[in-house]
Amino acid sequence: MRVNKKYSCLPAEEKGIHIINIRAIEDIGYEQHESTLLNSLSKNPDADCKYGLYFRDGKRKVDYILVYHYKKSSAGKTLTRRVHHNDSSAQSTKQDQPLPGKGVQLEMGESEPHVDYHEDDKRFRREEYEGNLVEAGLELEHDEDTKIHGVGFVKIHAPWNVLCREAEFLKLKMPTKKMYQINQTHGLLKKINSVIQKITEPIQPKVAEHKPQMVKRLSYPFSREKQHLFDLSDRDSFFDSKTRSTIVYEILKRTTCTKAKYSMGITSLLANGVYSAAYPLHDGDYEGENVEPNDRKLLCEEWASYGVFYKYQPIDLVRKYFGEKIGLYFAWLGVYTQMLIPASVVGIIVFLYGCATVDENIPSMEMCDQRNNITMCPLCDRTCSYWKMSSACATARASHLFDNPATVFFSVFMALWAATFMEHWKRKQMRLNYRWDLTGFEEEEDHPRAEYEAKVLEKSLRKEHKHKETDKEKLTWKDRFPAYLTNFVGIIFMVGLTFAIVFGVIIYRISTAAALAISSTPSGRSSVRVTVTATAVIINLVVIIILDEVYGCIARWLTQIEVPKTDKNFEERLIFKAFLLKFVNAYTPIFYVAFFKGRFVGRPGDYVYIFHSFRMEECAPGGCLMELCIQLSIIMLGKQLIQNNLFEIGIPKMKKFIRYMKLKRRRSLDHEEHMKKKQRYEVDYNLEPFAGLTPEYMEMIIQFGFVTLFVASFPLAPLFALLNNIIEIRLDAKKFVTELRRPVAVRAKDIGIWYNILRGIGKLAVIINAFVISFTSDFIPRLVYLYMYSENGTMHGFVNHTLSSFNVSDFQAGTAPNDPMDLGYEVQICRYKDYREPPWSENKYDISKDFWAVLAARLAFVIVFQNLVMFMSDFVDWIIPDIPKDISQQIHKEKVLMVEVFMREEQGKLQMLETWKDKDKKKGENCNNHSPRLSRSHSGSLSSCHSYPLDV
């Protein structure tokens, strides 16, 4: 083997790598080909290959693109090489020859260019890797003559025999020639279905795949031995573009670039910068006058447009173009949005009930009645004065809109809604599995990730250096222990940081309330609570949005240092960490208001202080539920408006503009490149790479938490979620169709770990709503008063019952108001919200018996509500079957039909064998009737008849 000396002096870290299949610089040159002249005479060679969708011959379709960076010389031309992957395949690799106008002849007298060892090593790895791809059966074609400066493209085509081989390896289910009738409903159900179809016809997308199917092709895992079962009349369309790209990607992942022990697939090569990108092509342009019809254009018109927001999604076309995994995400998002419609309607009814009964609510009427003349104790020390309860009239009336008996019913309804939604999705998922031929599909173990292989290699090299062992290594928990420790400490630190920020906002609220209370204007003092609440919630919202982005990056980094083996393991660990951190970040301020604010205040004369100067904040006289509603609504709406919509629209647009400006600056340097029309792979290269579905699912899961966890305090949450999702579906669709590179289609039969997270949130929602109704709202104290303490069986006197009395002479020194005559009269007894003994009692200011009675009722309600709703949810789960009856019948019918197909095939084989035997028998009789010489001469043919191979 001949290795150039100029390339033998590699950096120290690369000395263990043996470079193979390299020619010396003297051998690199430019060859003039006849095709150069032919290509130059062609009127528009780019149009023949449909601007990058096909190879230059216009026949072979581009199934995948690899992108790499290369350096140009000062003259602007590339140093082109002749790549021969192996001698036997030289004749089949015409595409690897230098392109017209690219080569430059190096003569002995010329000065040799500066050698960049790092770039040369990347080029050598690419050469070997592409040679291995050719050996695997793929066909390649290079293109460095593009409008993008310094970027080269490798076009990959999978021929028919490779597609068949890989389809058999991957066990891809393909439609056979056999077609069967789908069972149709009869009688009343048929009439109802026909009426529903006529009503919903205007909101159905105008897509062929979305029309109801009357017949279906029987599917079977592809087998080269049973090609006669499949309809191969049109081989070009038998494997669609999504399937072709999936097959090529599987080959790219398992094909290695080996130098000594340095083994790499495409993921490793991308991670190490040997290639800068790898992606399948979009089907074509989606806008323009003379654009040929394609699936991408159809998706843009019937799915990724805000004008069709009222229509159903063409899920089958989405699956056909993007694959099952992305199809399932949009199907789940569609089902979730549909299920929000009844929840929104019920939530609006509950809210309207509160509006209609606000004037009949006796407790709020008593609070607003100025004749009661209830004087309340100061809200802060010294600077705050006494105040009238009637000044909190607006807060009390607003609280009734969300704190009324209907909210209890709505909490039960939403718990059952969550269970029904999960069951409905499982049934929808089974229908899609049947329609998409995923029944019986089992995910196989994925290829190891590039980082995992690199760690294993590093470990094996270390071990070999010490012990001279060459056994196959793997990472153990000891190898990952530092990463596990870092994960634990990092997550604890991030959760502690979230708590610290919430605590800081609490300090802000307390100090701001004290500062505003000093205001001399009465209007300023009356709006203290609203001002403090609103500003604090906005601060919380800004912090949540910032920390969401930070926690997403930290969760990814923590997962990377763990070095999971496969992409599936990586994704599941990333989802767990990101969900944990974002859940804590989004809901901690809400949990504080719901369950901690006003619980540890103390009482007048004995308040609880933070840092010996700040008094813990109290709830409003009407309770903390109204403040919880404000907190929940602003955070939910703010996250949806700013983070989910503005960020998703603004950031991609900004990145696209930056890339456009960079390309514009490059084009100004080369006028010839600027005048050429871009190829399809160049246009797609300028799109944003696909980053996975985790961010899309995450924002919807957090929203699902807002809809279910604290729905007792905000019945309008499902309505706002519905309005957001109507926009979100079209926004995500537009992003996938127009802003992102086409992702590799991934087969999946469910939504994975997200289903378990949804179920967990649904169970947690029952418990949290039970505690919100019981401890945050006044629902239980009202029931206790109504049935235990009311004299006339009404709510009259309830407000006075919930207030305790305090003698102002018992204030601690330095805590009494500076202006005790602010109300115009001297105050001797002030009131505060708590169940305590009066100052004239023997055990003054101790907790009264009423407190324990209310607490017992609250705990009893939590237990009863939780168990009752859990039982009802499990009953809904049990009574609704996971697999629809018609789908189970169709699956069984497919199995029976498949058995019949194979039985007929076996019978056909037996009949053919019998026919051959009869023919052999007749020939034998004919041979016996001839002379011995003739029989001897025919013995060869007779034996050949018996040994003739039978191919059915």
Side-chain angles (χ1 to χ4, degrees), residues 755-774:
Y755 181 81
N756 297 328
I757 293 175
L758 285 169
R759 283 188 66 86
I761 291 177
K763 299 293 183 185
L764 184 63
V766 176
I767 301 171
I768 289 178
N769 281 306
F771 277 95
V772 167
I773 295 170
S774 182

Side-chain angles (χ1 to χ4, degrees), residues 102 132 339 347 505 526 690 889:
K102 288 174 57 185
N132 293 338
M339 289 293 291
V505 175
S526 62
F690 175 62
Q889 290 175 351

Side-chain angles (χ1 to χ4, degrees), residues 213-442:
Q213 295 179 339
M214 305 298 291
V215 293
K216 186 178 183 293
R217 287 188 178 274
L218 194 63
S219 295
Y220 186 72
F222 188 82
S223 172
R224 286 173 289 180
E225 294 182 354
K226 299 186 182 296
Q227 288 192 29
H228 57 279
L229 293 177
F230 304 94
D231 184 10
L232 304 179
S233 56
D234 186 6
R235 291 190 173 188
D236 292 335
S237 62
F238 182 73
F239 294 105
D240 57 13
S241 58
K242 174 220 17 161
T243 307
R244 296 174 71 98
S245 62
T246 303
I247 287 173
V248 173
Y249 183 63
E250 287 296 324
I251 298 175
L252 293 175
K253 281 200 297 185
R254 72 164 184 261
T255 302
T256 56
C257 171
T258 56
K259 294 176 181 179
K261 288 192 174 182
Y262 209 88
S263 175
M264 351 173 83
I266 186 60
T267 52
S268 302
L269 295 172
L270 288 169
N272 291 313
V274 178
Y275 290 102
S276 58
Y279 52 88
L281 292 179
H282 280 292
D283 278 359
D285 292 323
Y286 59 89
E287 58 184 358
E289 296 180 359
N290 300 321
V291 176
E292 294 184 4
N294 58 71
D295 287 343
R296 188 188 187 194
K297 186 174 186 294
L298 188 59
L299 281 172
C300 189
E301 294 171 352
E302 293 295 328
W303 182 51
S305 172
Y306 295 110
V308 294
F309 72 92
Y310 59 93
K311 288 187 177 183
Y312 285 100
Q313 299 182 85
I315 291 298
D316 291 322
L317 184 59
V318 174
R319 173 254 178 179
K320 178 186 174 185
Y321 193 78
F322 291 110
E324 286 79 7
K325 192 170 185 179
I326 294 175
L328 281 172
Y329 163 70
F330 282 103
W332 173 83
L333 184 56
V335 170
Y336 172 47
T337 305
Q338 286 178 3
M339 289 293 291
L340 282 172
I341 295 174
S344 302
V345 172
V346 177
I348 292 171
I349 292 172
V350 169
F351 178 73
L352 293 177
Y353 171 81
C355 295
T357 58
V358 66
D359 292 329
E360 302 172 3
N361 184 39
I362 295 175
S364 62
M365 290 170 62
E366 288 183 348
M367 289 181 65
C368 295
D369 190 357
Q370 296 184 1
R371 293 173 298 179
N372 288 339
N373 198 26
I374 299 176
T375 304
M376 303 297 293
C377 295
L379 296 174
C380 61
D381 294 342
R382 295 187 301 276
T383 55
C384 299
S385 185
Y386 304 104
W387 56 284
K388 291 283 189 181
M389 174 170 269
S390 57
S391 64
C393 174
T395 306
R397 288 174 64 85
S399 296
H400 179 73
L401 300 178
F402 306 101
D403 186 7
N404 55 68
T407 56
V408 180
F409 157 77
F410 191 56
S411 299
V412 177
F413 170 81
M414 286 304 294
L416 298 179
W417 173 87
T420 308
F421 162 60
M422 300 304 294
E423 289 304 307
H424 179 46
W425 167 243
K426 279 197 290 188
R427 292 169 63 84
K428 177 70 172 179
Q429 194 170 254
M430 283 304 303
R431 288 188 181 278
L432 293 176
N433 284 344
Y434 163 71
R435 218 158 69 202
W436 297 347
D437 298 322
L438 291 171
T439 52
F441 168 71
E442 295 294 336

